[in-house]
Amino acid sequence: MLTIGDLSRATGVKIPTIRYYEQMGLMAAAERSGGNQRRYESHDRERLSFIKHARDLGFTIEAIRELLELSAHPDRPCVDADEIAVRQLQSVRNKIAKLRLLEKELDRMTSRNHDDQVKHCYVLRSLANHDMCVSEH
Amino acid sequence: MLTIGDLSRATGVKIPTIRYYEQMGLMAAAERSGGNQRRYESHDRERLSFIKHARDLGFTIEAIRELLELSAHPDRPCVDADEIAVRQLQSVRNKIAKLRLLEKELDRMTSRNHDDQVKHCYVLRSLANHDMCVSEH
DNA sequence: CATAATAGCTATAGATACTGGAGGAACACA
DNA sequence: TGTGTTCCTCCAGTATCTATAGCTATTATG
């Protein structure tokens, strides 16, 4: 039997977050000790590790709920899980593409900024005037 | 004189968001019509465009507050604005680096997923087992 | 000028995914 | 039995909006 603290140390998920996942229904309501403290088993640790890993990969709570639901039904087609992961991959690629554009603009702003007073500041002028941008973002 | 709707259309910032910026002190409290509706001038539009542009580039409200404060004092050194932009650039580069790792993992998960039942699903197995990952993330 | 359509107002709650604190109870160990 | 650590619930706060309800103002049309 693990306490919530044990579970937290074992998975790297903070205690309030574990309780939050319980509230959100991602983790089943834990059994309780005589004194009303949560007690866990190793399968809870595995489930929480799964959740943590998926969160680290940027899956939303909703997506994780679906993935957990899928893994509870071994005979369902794998395509469903694949679709969720592909969606996530696309969202990650979208974010990267957008951030690259921002990087380009910020790099331009900061590298051309050689004046010494705010009234000539390239950064501030760039922010005030979208036309100075080199790309759509 | 512009209504809040005009300002919204001119800048692409939604009406509740404009009111939110006023509440946060990024926009000055607008003048009011006889019937208590907000009325704006063109300098408000420019300020809001600045804010929008900075938000699109991922600056936080706090950073924008500093940038606006700086541009109100033309004699202050430009370095201060530069520092904020460089910080933002670094944060963008960090995010890109992290997302690239996620992309790698998700790509691995989805491209090797050729089985047809959840019980053999590579995506779900990968999420359950961090050791299958090719990189730290 | 009367009415209708559109746009605006405030206040409050919800979304997202947690995080932290207060005040008190339970547990582990000597 | 005492002491220190861990746990409990409840509530509030983070950041950045977004949406709803119920009401009022303005504008356009006939």
Side-chain angles (χ1 to χ4, degrees):
Chain A
M1 294 295 255
L2 303 159
T3 66
I4 198 168
D6 296 336
L7 195 61
S8 171
R9 275 182 296 276
T11 59
V13 177
K14 291 192 179 138
I15 291 173
T17 306
I18 297 174
R19 292 197 273 247
Y20 170 75
Y21 288 160
E22 180 181 312
Q23 215 183 302
M24 292 301 100
L26 280 194
M27 294 292 289
E31 281 179 64
R32 299 298 180 118
S33 72
N36 198 35
Q37 298 193 352
R38 288 171 180 80
R39 290 297 125 93
Y40 296 93
E41 315 257 2
S42 55
H43 62 83
D44 295 310
R45 192 185 53 219
E46 277 146 38
R47 191 181 173 93
L48 186 55
S49 294
F50 182 103
I51 295 169
K52 164 99 162 97
H53 194 179
R55 281 297 299 136
D56 287 346
L57 287 166
F59 288 88
T60 64
I61 299 281
E62 269 323 295
I64 295 170
R65 203 191 299 282
E66 289 178 67
L67 289 166
L68 286 166
E69 175 64 15
L70 283 172
S71 35
H73 297 282
D75 298 332
R76 293 258 288 277
C78 185
V79 183
D80 296 359
D82 199 57
E83 198 198 296
I84 296 172
V86 166
R87 223 194 293 145
Q88 178 60 12
L89 177 57
Q90 271 162 3
S91 137
V92 166
R93 286 189 169 145
N94 268 340
K95 277 185 200 150
I96 291 175
K98 278 191 190 146
L99 286 170
R100 284 226 182 99
L101 295 178
L102 302 192
E103 186 191 12
K104 194 151 66 166
E105 292 307 330
L106 288 165
D107 187 49
R108 174 184 60 78
M109 284 184 200
T110 53
S111 63
R112 295 195 196 160
N113 203 31
H114 298 309
D115 229 316
D116 62 342
Q117 284 197 325
V118 160
K119 62 186 154 203
H120 303 119
C121 180
Y122 196 80
V123 169
L124 294 175
R125 278 191 295 137
S126 289
L127 286 169
N129 184 3
H130 208 131
D131 297 342
M132 291 170 77
C133 289
V134 297
S135 59
E136 263 330 292
H137 59 99
Chain B
M1 295 294 255
L2 302 160
T3 66
I4 198 169
D6 295 336
L7 195 61
S8 171
R9 275 181 297 275
T11 59
V13 177
K14 291 192 181 137
I15 290 173
T17 306
I18 297 173
R19 291 197 275 248
Y20 170 75
Y21 288 160
E22 181 180 311
Q23 213 184 302
M24 292 300 100
L26 280 195
M27 295 292 290
E31 283 178 62
R32 300 295 181 119
S33 71
N36 197 35
Q37 299 192 352
R38 288 170 180 81
R39 289 298 125 94
Y40 296 93
E41 315 256 2
S42 55
H43 62 84
D44 295 311
R45 192 185 52 219
E46 277 146 38
R47 190 182 175 93
L48 187 55
S49 294
F50 182 104
I51 295 170
K52 163 99 164 97
H53 194 179
R55 283 296 300 136
D56 287 346
L57 287 166
F59 288 88
T60 64
I61 299 280
E62 269 324 295
I64 296 170
R65 206 192 296 285
E66 288 178 69
L67 289 167
L68 285 165
E69 176 64 15
L70 283 172
S71 36
H73 298 281
D75 298 332
R76 293 257 287 277
C78 185
V79 183
D80 296 359
D82 199 56
E83 199 197 295
I84 296 171
V86 167
R87 223 193 294 144
Q88 178 60 12
L89 177 57
Q90 271 162 3
S91 136
V92 166
R93 286 189 169 144
N94 269 340
K95 278 186 200 148
I96 290 174
K98 279 193 190 142
L99 286 170
R100 285 229 180 94
L101 295 178
L102 302 192
E103 186 192 11
K104 195 152 63 167
E105 292 308 331
L106 288 165
D107 188 48
R108 174 184 59 78
M109 284 185 200
T110 53
S111 63
R112 294 196 197 161
N113 203 30
H114 298 309
D115 229 316
D116 63 342
Q117 284 197 327
V118 160
K119 62 187 154 202
H120 303 120
C121 180
Y122 195 81
V123 169
L124 294 175
R125 279 190 295 137
S126 289
L127 285 169
N129 183 4
H130 208 133
D131 296 341
M132 291 171 77
C133 289
V134 297
S135 59
E136 262 329 293
H137 58 98

